Amino acid sequence: MNEGMFTAEERQRLLQEIERLTHENERLSARVEDGNIYKIFFDAHPDVIFKVDLDYIISFVHMPHRSADYIEFITNKNILDLMPAGFHESVKTAIQASIQTGKPVVFHSEGELDGEYRYYENFISPIRKISGEIKEILFYSKNITAQKNIEHMLIRNQHTLKTIFENSEQFITVINLDRKIVWFNKKSQEWSPIIFGRQVEFDCEAELFLPEEYRMSFLEHFNQVLAGKSVNYIRNYTVNSKPFYLELSLNPVYEDGVITNVSLIGVDITRHKENEAFLQRANSELTHQNEQLNEFSYIISHNLRGPIATLMGLVDLFENNNAQNQTGDPKQAEQFVYHIKKTLQKLDAVIVDLNFVVTNQDNSVSNYSLIDLKEECDSISDLLSIQIQSSGAEFVYNFKSVPVICSVKSYIHNILYNLISNAIKYKRHSYAPLIYLSSYQINDDTVCIECKDNGIGLDLGRYQDKLFGFYKRFHHHVEGKGIGLHLVKKQIELLKGKIEVQSAVDQGTTFKIFLPISKP
C-alpha cells in the first residue's frame, strides 16, 4: 500500500486507530491473565458454585473433585434436576425470594446425597444487567456435614452429661464468683430441704444454706478455690435424728484459662462412716479378745503354778515316805491325803475363778460378794507355799479397820495374788521378803487395800509411765511375761477403782488399791 494514496488527515486517523487497537489488545490480554487468576481461585475453592438463569438452567459450574466431562454434561441442565427431591423446595424458595427482593438469601438444606446424609449452607445472590434488571442467579453451596456432625455430637454429649449430672447420686452445685448459685442437679434439689432445712434456689448465696458454724470455713475454702486450688473436706449433719456425713469437693471451673465458676460436689459417705465405725468396734473387740486370751494364758500359767507345785511337792513327799517306810504309817498317809485334798480344793477354786473371767468377756462386773481379806491372803499363801518356804517370806496382816469388803472375789484374788507373788519374786538379794498387808477406810465411799514389801523396788522416775503397760518388764533376771501388773490395773478399773504405787530402788514398793465401798 502506497502512503501517497492517503491524505495527511487519513494517515493521522489510521495511526490513531492502530494505537487504539494496540491498547485494546493489551487490555484484552490483561483480562485473559485476570481470568487465569480467577480460574486458579475457583480450582482451589472447595465449595460448589453454580450460575443459573431465571429458568434454573446452569450456565457456569464449579464443582471440585468432579471431572471436566461431568461438568460439561450438567452445563445447560436444570439445576433442580441434579438435586435430590428433598432439596427442591428449599432451593426454589430461596431463588424466588432473591429474585423478588433483589437481595442475597442464605439458607440451609439437608438430605441424602450419593448414599450419605449431608448438610449444606447455601448462599444465593442475584446478578444484574447494566440496566439493573436481574438476569442470572449465583448459587454458592458449602458442605457443612462435618461441622453439623460435630455439633450433633456435642449436643448429644451435653445431653448425656446433663443426664448424668441430673441423675447423679452426688450433690452437684455450680456457684459463680459472687458465691451465687447458678445451677444445681436433681439430687441437690431433693435433698437440700432435708439436709439444710431449705429449698435450694438460683441466685442465692451458697453459704446461707450452711449452719452458722460452717459458714466461715466455707468462705475460706471458697477463696482458696478462687486462687486456683481444689479443696476437699467432710461435714457432719443430722438427718432424721441420725448422723449424716458429706464429703465435699470445691473446684475451680475454667473458661479460656480464666476461673468463671466454682463447682461444689458432695458425696454421701454416711454408710462408709458407719462401716468405718463398725470396723473400729470390731477391731477394738478383737483387740479386747486378744487381751483376754493373753490374760487367760497368764492366769493359767501364774495362778495354777502355786497349787500344782504344792501338789507335786506333796506327791514327792508321799512317795519318799513310802519308800523309806515299807510298812506305811496310816496317820502320815491320812495327813498327806488331807493336804492333797485341800490343795485340790484351792486348785478347783482357781479354775472356777478362771471360768468366771472367760465367761465375763463383755467386761461386765457382777457376782459381788463379801470377801474376808485375811482368809483370801491365807488362801494365796497356801497356793504359794513352795515359793514362801524357799524364800523365807514373812507376812504381817492388819485388816482390823476393814476386815471384809464387798467385791468380785475372782478379781480381788487375782489382784492380791499378783502383788504378793511379785513381792516374793522381786526380793532383795540376801533379804527374806517381808510383806505388810493392810486395809483401811479413806472416806464414806472408798476403802484402801495396801501391799508393802522390802524388795528391790523400782525407779519410778524412769518407769512411771510404763509400769502398768502390756508386756512391760523392768527386772530381767526374774522369769516373767510382763502382764501381771497390766491385768491388776485393768481389773481394778473394772471395779471402778484405782491403783497408786510408791517405790524406790532397794527400798521396796508400796501398792495402794482404792475401791468403792459396795454393798452385797
Side-chain angles (χ1 to χ4, degrees), residues 56-337:
Y56 311 131
I57 302 301
I58 300 171
S59 61
F60 171 82
V61 180
H62 170 71
M63 296 185 72
H65 312 302
R66 289 288 191 174
S67 66
D69 291 341
Y70 179 79
I71 292 175
E72 183 180 355
F73 171 75
I74 65 173
T75 302
N76 298 321
K77 296 285 196 307
N78 190 311
I79 192 173
L80 298 179
D81 294 339
L82 304 177
M83 295 182 176
F87 289 83
H88 289 186
E89 191 63 34
S90 59
V91 172
K92 287 177 63 175
T93 301
I95 290 175
Q96 291 172 3
S98 181
I99 293 172
Q100 291 173 2
T101 62
K103 296 179 180 180
V105 173
V106 179
F107 69 101
H108 291 81
S109 58
E110 61 182 271
E112 187 172 339
L113 183 63
D114 295 335
E116 179 185 352
Y117 199 87
R118 301 183 183 183
Y119 300 86
Y120 292 92
E121 183 179 55
N122 306 297
F123 174 83
I124 290 180
S125 178
I127 299 175
R128 300 176 183 272
K129 297 178 182 179
I130 297 177
S131 61
E133 181 183 357
I134 296 174
K135 64 173 183 176
E136 290 178 308
I137 296 294
L138 182 67
F139 184 99
Y140 171 92
S141 184
K142 182 178 182 180
N143 187 343
I144 59 170
T145 303
Q147 177 184 336
K148 278 291 183 180
N149 288 338
I150 292 173
E151 288 179 2
H152 291 159
M153 182 181 67
L154 290 174
I155 291 172
R156 286 195 302 270
N157 290 343
Q158 289 175 352
H159 178 74
T160 301
L161 287 174
K162 184 177 180 181
T163 302
I164 291 172
F165 288 144
E166 284 292 346
N167 296 283
S168 173
E169 286 302 309
Q170 298 177 333
F171 302 85
I172 305 175
T173 305
V174 178
I175 306 167
N176 67 15
L177 302 186
D178 295 325
R179 303 193 308 280
K180 301 289 185 66
I181 295 174
V182 296
W183 186 86
F184 49 84
N185 70 343
K186 184 178 179 181
K187 187 79 171 182
S188 299
Q189 183 179 25
E190 291 176 349
W191 278 80
S192 59
I194 300 173
I195 300 174
F196 306 113
R198 176 178 176 180
Q199 182 66 57
V200 65
E201 300 175 5
F202 290 109
D203 205 36
C204 180
E205 290 184 350
E207 64 266 24
L208 297 181
F209 288 89
L210 305 177
E212 188 69 34
E213 64 268 24
Y214 292 158
R215 294 182 183 179
M216 185 60 67
S217 60
F218 172 80
L219 294 177
E220 293 175 358
H221 294 329
F222 193 88
N223 289 332
Q224 289 178 339
V225 175
L226 294 184
K229 298 180 180 180
S230 293
V231 182
N232 297 284
Y233 55 98
I234 296 174
R235 286 286 179 259
N236 181 19
Y237 301 94
T238 300
V239 174
N240 298 326
S241 303
K242 295 181 179 179
F244 182 85
Y245 295 90
L246 272 181
E247 184 175 21
L248 298 164
S249 176
L250 279 169
N251 297 283
V253 178
Y254 290 92
E255 290 185 18
D256 298 327
V258 178
I259 297 175
T260 57
N261 291 290
V262 173
S263 69
L264 174 61
I265 301 175
V267 180
D268 179 4
I269 60 169
T270 305
R271 180 65 61 85
H272 171 75
K273 282 290 185 180
E274 291 173 351
N275 292 338
E276 189 178 79
F278 172 79
L279 289 175
Q280 288 177 347
R281 290 194 300 270
N283 185 62
S284 177
E285 180 64 24
L286 288 173
T287 302
H288 169 65
Q289 290 179 1
N290 186 58
E291 289 181 358
Q292 286 184 325
L293 288 173
N294 281 289
E295 291 170 6
F296 183 68
S297 173
Y298 172 81
I299 293 172
I300 288 177
S301 63
H302 198 270
N303 291 26
L304 294 183
R305 183 178 299 168
I308 290 175
T310 302
L311 279 175
M312 292 177 66
L314 288 170
V315 170
D316 288 339
L317 288 173
F318 185 75
E319 288 178 345
N320 291 334
N321 182 69
N322 284 343
Q324 295 173 5
N325 188 359
Q326 296 294 329
T327 58
D329 186 343
K331 289 186 178 180
Q332 276 190 333
E334 186 177 337
Q335 286 182 345
F336 279 126
V337 171

Side-chain angles (χ1 to χ4, degrees), residues 450-451 457-458 460 464 467 500-504 507-512:
E450 188 174 303
C451 181
L458 285 167
L460 293 182
Q464 180 76 53
L467 185 60
E500 293 180 356
V501 60
Q502 299 170 352
S503 187
Q507 295 183 28
T509 302
T510 300
F511 288 96
K512 293 183 179 181

Side-chain angles (χ1 to χ4, degrees), residues 19-33:
E19 185 178 359
R20 184 186 70 77
L21 290 173
T22 300
H23 286 305
E24 181 66 17
N25 182 62
E26 292 174 354
R27 186 181 68 81
L28 290 173
S29 296
R31 290 191 62 182
V32 170
E33 291 178 1

